[in-house]
Amino acid sequence: MTGAAPQTIEDIILRRDGRSMHALRPHLRSDFCDDAARFLYECAGPTLVVTGFYILSGGAVETDGPPGAAAIGEALEALGRTVVYVTDVHGGAVMRALAPHAEVVEFPIADMEQSRAFARDLVERVRPAAAVAIERCSLTAEGLYRNMRSLDISAYTAKVDPIFDLVEDSVGVGDGGNEIGMGVLAEHIKGVEALPDDPAATTCSRLVISSVSNWGGYGLVASLSKLAGRNLLPSVEREAAWVRACVDLGVVDGTSGKPIAAVDGFPLEENSETLQILHDALAAQGIR
């Protein structure tokens, strides 16, 4: 199922790239995933993990994001960090299902003034050392939330972006150019035909790009595993169970908008290949 693993984690998470994300790679460090992991590893303290991308055609959040968030959160917990997940009303039930032991905050869908106040109160209470966003739609420069078809999803998206103004150290994981964190490459994204003309405006300290955001999340965990000297990745079976649990709660595949066990159009077996290759890459380095 796995074949020969590429040499780097960055290669692995950009395999089967269908959105020209590779065009952004020259604008990041060659070891961008390892670099983000080192950065996060050194941010000792509580971490906010933000996810949940609303799919208009499905009327729900998508399967890309929550499993990656859960994987990142569990890895950080294994390293002794407290994790608080942040989503909105559309992602609350799924994050509580994937992380039943952790606090899940449902950020209200409100105007910007109320959103800034909620973010400020959250940050003051949790006092996070870092914030991580994975597959979470970002504000554009015009102040709207747009999906990959440039359709406005602002009415269904909580304005969590102020968190990333308040928390100095942050990591963004995305696969389409419109996610929180991608603002650091906004001008380059505009120059790639397959990516949005009105990209993300919200920036981050370190950016991870991938073909599927969950894969970027697993890549980040694999890189953290190298630093910890032990494999922090979920098993292939556990990740598949996460995806199925999402679907049971009405979460949809982001490509089709249907509640099926797929992630960005990849059926479970194809989706699992990337995670298995990451496991194989760690094992080849003696990390188990």
Side-chain angles (χ1 to χ4, degrees):
M1 170 170 131
T2 62
Q7 288 189 331
T8 70
I9 287 173
E10 292 76 15
D11 290 332
I12 296 169
I13 63 177
L14 281 168
R15 64 190 296 271
R16 305 193 68 173
D17 173 21
R19 290 181 178 162
S20 300
M21 292 303 290
H22 63 275
L24 301 178
R25 192 171 181 179
H27 306 295
L28 295 171
R29 290 175 53 124
S30 60
D31 65 341
F32 62 83
C33 197
D34 282 345
D35 180 55
R38 285 191 296 268
F39 177 79
L40 193 58
Y41 192 80
E42 293 171 2
C43 292
T47 305
L48 299 177
V49 178
V50 186
T51 195
F53 200 116
Y54 188 84
I55 302 300
L56 270 178
S57 62
V61 294
E62 63 173 306
T63 52
D64 192 22
I72 293 168
E74 288 196 353
L76 291 173
E77 288 171 339
L79 296 174
R81 315 291 168 78
T82 298
V83 173
V84 175
Y85 296 94
V86 182
T87 183
D88 52 36
V89 64
H90 304 293
V94 67
M95 287 316 303
R96 285 191 291 271
L98 300 192
H101 58 286
E103 180 182 359
V104 176
V105 173
E106 289 190 13
F107 203 103
I109 298 176
D111 63 30
M112 183 53 79
E113 182 179 357
Q114 292 173 299
S115 299
R116 287 195 181 107
F118 190 91
R120 183 176 61 251
D121 290 345
L122 175 63
V123 169
E124 287 178 356
R125 176 173 66 83
V126 177
R127 298 193 178 278
V132 180
I134 175 168
E135 192 63 15
R136 179 72 198 186
C137 196
S138 163
L139 283 168
T140 64
E142 63 181 332
L144 298 176
Y145 293 96
R146 294 189 179 277
N147 63 18
M148 284 299 289
R149 296 178 177 86
S150 291
L151 298 175
D152 185 357
I153 60 170
S154 301
Y156 308 96
T157 306
K159 298 175 175 62
V160 302
D161 304 65
I163 291 172
F164 293 83
D165 297 326
L166 295 167
V167 181
E168 183 176 355
D169 295 330
S170 60
V171 174
V173 183
D175 62 13
N178 59 351
E179 302 91 355
I180 286 177
M182 287 284 185
V184 298
L185 295 181
E187 292 307 310
H188 300 295
I189 291 167
K190 293 176 185 177
V192 180
E193 185 176 354
L195 298 180
D197 294 329
D198 46 1
T202 304
T203 63
C204 62
S205 307
R206 297 291 189 280
L207 179 63
V208 174
I209 61 171
S210 52
S211 301
V212 174
S213 289
N214 282 347
W215 300 357
Y218 305 148
L220 184 62
V221 174
S223 292
L224 286 169
S225 298
K226 293 196 294 184
L227 294 169
R230 55 194 170 109
N231 190 341
L232 303 172
L233 285 166
S235 67
V236 166
E237 295 76 18
R238 186 136 192 261
E239 192 252 2
W242 281 342
V243 174
R244 292 191 185 99
C246 289
V247 175
D248 288 344
L249 288 167
V251 175
V252 300
D253 166 41
T255 298
S256 67
K258 297 178 180 178
I260 57 175
V263 182
D264 276 0
F266 290 100
L268 276 185
E269 184 175 352
E270 293 180 31
N271 173 69
S272 296
E273 289 179 1
T274 298
L275 179 55
Q276 184 60 58
I277 292 172
L278 288 168
H279 274 289
D280 293 345
L282 291 179
Q285 298 180 50
I287 300 170
R288 301 183 184 277

